[in-house]
């Protein structure tokens, strides 16, 4: 994040842990904090530039080292102080940070304005008290971070924190011992050296806490925490170098130490305005071995350094403790890793057993094959489906070996390539039975299996379900649909034939009779117009006309009877008695017998009536029978109607359509459309029996 973005954040509000910008409480304090931050950044930059060699002359400069440096510290204190005042989140922590910056700034203001003018300069002074107080408060800040950030439930991370603190302490003590062993330069008061030495000692404690924090968080500290740590590190470097320069008499005002000190203070002051994007640790994440190994190596190098230089008992002791902690940490990590690997292997083995049990218990074919089609696995249900013996080595076979010739081309051109291109393909195919059985239709889902490490195409998996029953049902439905289509065609043709017969009857009979009546009436009219009509001739003409009209009327009544269905208005027995009486009159003996409840829906009555009536018409015209029996009854499945005669009979295999009538095929079609069936039992010279069966209900067609 750039400085401008930081300032924009400080001017507009704070961000929560999720990175969402939150308005700062206090209204106009947000812009005020931004302005103070800009002023502090400019002052720090200006002073840092002044310390570059060649920019200004050597020695103390009141304007730069006094007013500019002191003003920068004051601005940094104000900037840090605005953080807890304008934001409500974690106010106690940022108040500690602000107090540390304020004490450090106060120390410089007191030193620049008061202490440096005293003669002699007192050691320690009020400025030293403020600076040391700032270090103590920074220690509290690091302790808060370590307490709030470092996990408490991880033994490995606790050891890492301890190891980090020991490593930093060993290095710091070794360097500090060298500084102490140098002793004060002649002319440097011992009090000055001891006072200045107290700063590195305090810095050692800070570095121990900082090392523990960084080791415990394993680099997952927030940007604000890192800014605080970097600022404390810069201050510690300044304190250590300052002690050495004081001890050797090489300290000069206005050097890079002042710029680094001011920059470190700016980092601590500005940490509260850094937008925090700390990434939460991943689930199951644990500390690695890189950091503890590096810290242990640092302790070991400190031991080597201590052995090669002046005696450093304390540094060596701390370094040795660090090496011991590092060994314990690494050994524990290796033991835990081995246990975790064994647990992972056991879990994978259990998962494999579960998967194999699931696949082998499946009733569908489950198989795996190489991308080129060579099989590597097939479950028991799949072997049973294709008729493959359980002992047969499946790896010696290929996918095309199990496909019918028609399906193999589809496998090569469509399914295999489609799986490689799209990852999954669904469809249907036919499997070849390995023992000569019927081909097995299956619904197929084939999918690409990628290698778990390289993610490259590895295997082709397939799950195939036997759909033989479904295919048979679909074929049966299609056959039924085809049969119904044929029946419909026959019925339509029969209806058209019936209409043509009625039209022919009307034209050849009734129309002709009426035409004759018309001619006779015309003749009668001419006779009446003659001068001397003969009464005998007129009477004869009227008699003839009356006969023609009566015959036409009788034929029209017969035609209406053929068209009418009395079964709609009366019960089935009465309707059939009326039909038998009309068809046979007194020339043939007939009877209608019924058993059981024949309370039928109108559609069923009409269907039975029309089929039985057509059978009666056929008997009357072609059987030459002397007796006909019509029998109706119900059985367990539905309604049964029979028409039996003692006529000449015929060969049912021919079943010729009788001219002028629907014929046996049309009667059978009508029965099938109604969901029933028609059977004919006849032999030449032995009579005929027509048997009709219809299911119960109202599904019959009129």
């Amino acid at each position: 994040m750039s400085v401008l973005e930081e300032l924009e954040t400080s001017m507009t509000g704070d961000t929560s842990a999720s990175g969402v910008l939150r308005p700062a409480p206090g209204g106009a304090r947000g812009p005020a904090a931004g302005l103070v931050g800009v002023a502090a950044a400019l002052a720090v930059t200006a002073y840092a530039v002044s310390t570059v060699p060649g920019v200004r002359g050597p020695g103390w400069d009141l304007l730069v080292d006094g007013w500019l440096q002191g003003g920068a510290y004051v601005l940094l204190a104000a900037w840090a102080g605005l953080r807890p005042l304008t934001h409500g989140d974690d106010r106690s922590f940022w108040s500690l940070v602000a107090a540390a910056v304020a004490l450090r700034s106060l120390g410089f203001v007191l030193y620049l304005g008061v202490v440096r003018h005293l003669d002699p300069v007192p050691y320690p002074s009020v400025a030293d008290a403020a600076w040391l107080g700032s270090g103590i408060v920074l220690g509290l800040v690091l302790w808060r971070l370590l307490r709030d950030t470092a996990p408490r439930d991880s033994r490995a991370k606790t050891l890492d924190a301890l190891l980090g603190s020991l490593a930093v302490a060993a290095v710091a003590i070794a360097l500090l011992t060298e500084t102490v062993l140098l002793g004060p330069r002649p002319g440097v008061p011992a009090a000055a050296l001891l006072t200045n030495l107290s700063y590195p000692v305090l810095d050692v404690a800070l570095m121990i806490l900082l090392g523990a924090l960084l080791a415990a968080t394993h680099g997952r500290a927030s940007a604000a925490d890192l800014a605080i740590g970097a600022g404390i590190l810069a201050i510690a470097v300044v304190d250590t170098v300052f002690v050495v320069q004081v001890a050797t008499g090489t300290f000069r005002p206005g050097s890079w130490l002042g710029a680094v000190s001011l920059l470190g203070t700016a980092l601590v002051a500005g940490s509260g305005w850094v937008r925090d994007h700390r990434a939460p640790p991943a689930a199951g994440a644990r500390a690695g071995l890189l950091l503890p190994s590096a810290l242990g190596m640092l302790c070991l190098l400190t031991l080597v350094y201590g052995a090669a230089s002046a005696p450093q008992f304390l540094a060596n002791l701390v370094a040795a403790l660090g090496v011991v902690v590092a060994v314990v940490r690494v050994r524990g990590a290796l033991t835990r890793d081995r246990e975790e690997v064994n647990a992972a292997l056991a879990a994978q083995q259990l998962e494999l057993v579960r998967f194999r049990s699931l696949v082998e218990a499946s009733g569908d074919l489950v198989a795996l094959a190489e991308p080129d089609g060579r099989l590597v696995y097939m479950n028991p249900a799949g072997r049973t489906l294709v008729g493959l013996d359980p002992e047969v080595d499946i790896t010696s076979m290929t996918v095309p070996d199990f496909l019918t010739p028609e399906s193999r081309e589809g496998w090569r051109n469509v399914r295999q390539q489609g799986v490689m291109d799209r990852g999954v393909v669904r469809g249907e195919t036919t499997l070849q039975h390995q023992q000569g059985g019927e081909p097995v239709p299956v619904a197929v889902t084939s999918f690409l299996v990628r290698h778990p490490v390289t993610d490259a195409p590895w295997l082709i998996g397939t799950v195939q379900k036997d759909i033989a029953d479904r295919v048979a049902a679909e074929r049966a439905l299609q056959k039924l649909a085809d049969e119904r289509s044929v029946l419909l065609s026959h019925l339509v043709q029969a209806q058209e034939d019936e209409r043509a017969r009625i039209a022919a009857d009307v034209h050849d009979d009734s129309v002709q009779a009426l035409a004759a009546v018309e001619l006779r009436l015309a003749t009668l009219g001419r006779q009446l117009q003659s001068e001397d009509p003969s009464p005998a001739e007129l009477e004869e003409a009227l008699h003839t006309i009356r006969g023609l009209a009566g015959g036409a009327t009788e034929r029209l009544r017969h035609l209406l009877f053929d068209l009418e269905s009395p079964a709609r208005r009366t019960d089935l027995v009465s309707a059939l008695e009326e039909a038998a009486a009309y068809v046979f009159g007194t020339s043939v003996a007939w009877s209608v017998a019924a058993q059981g409840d024949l309370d039928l829906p109108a559609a069923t009555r009409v269907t039975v009536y029309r089929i039985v009536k057509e059978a009666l018409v056929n008997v009357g015209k072609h059987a030459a029978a002397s007796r006909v029996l019509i029998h109706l009854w119900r059985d367990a499945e539905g309604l049964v109607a029979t028409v039996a005669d003692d006529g000449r009979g015929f060969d049912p295999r021919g079943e010729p359509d009788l001219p002028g009538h629907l014929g046996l095929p049309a009667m059978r079609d009508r029965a099938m459309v109604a969901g029933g069936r028609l059977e004919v039992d006849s032999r030449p010279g032995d009579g005929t029996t027509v048997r009709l069966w219809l299911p119960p209900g109202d599904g019959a067609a009129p």
Side-chain angles (χ1 to χ4, degrees), residues 2 60 76 83 102 110 114 127 160 261 284 292 301 315 328 402 412 427-428 433 492-493 502 525 588 659:
S2 66
W60 170 267
L76 290 175
R83 175 62 172 83
L110 290 173
V114 179
D160 288 344
S261 176
L301 292 176
V328 172
F402 293 91
R412 294 188 181 93
E428 296 181 2
H433 199 276
V492 171
Q493 184 62 44
I502 293 172
V588 176

Side-chain angles (χ1 to χ4, degrees), residues 1 4-15 20-35 79 86-87 273 275:
M1 180 182 297
L4 290 178
E5 290 173 331
E6 299 292 349
L7 295 178
E8 180 183 4
T9 302
S10 68
M11 295 173 68
T12 56
D14 188 25
T15 34
V20 178
L21 200 61
R22 225 172 22 190
R29 291 177 180 177
L35 294 175
W79 194 28
T86 58
H87 294 71
W273 305 101
R275 187 174 301 186

Side-chain angles (χ1 to χ4, degrees), residues 56-76:
R56 67 176 216 190
W60 170 267
D61 187 297
L62 178 62
L63 180 63
V64 177
D65 298 317
W67 291 103
L68 181 59
Q69 183 179 205
Y73 276 109
V74 172
L75 289 172
L76 290 175

Side-chain angles (χ1 to χ4, degrees), residues 672-687:
M672 292 182 65
V673 169
R677 59 181 178 270
L678 185 76
E679 299 171 352
V680 178
D681 182 16
S682 180
R683 287 185 298 276
D686 198 19

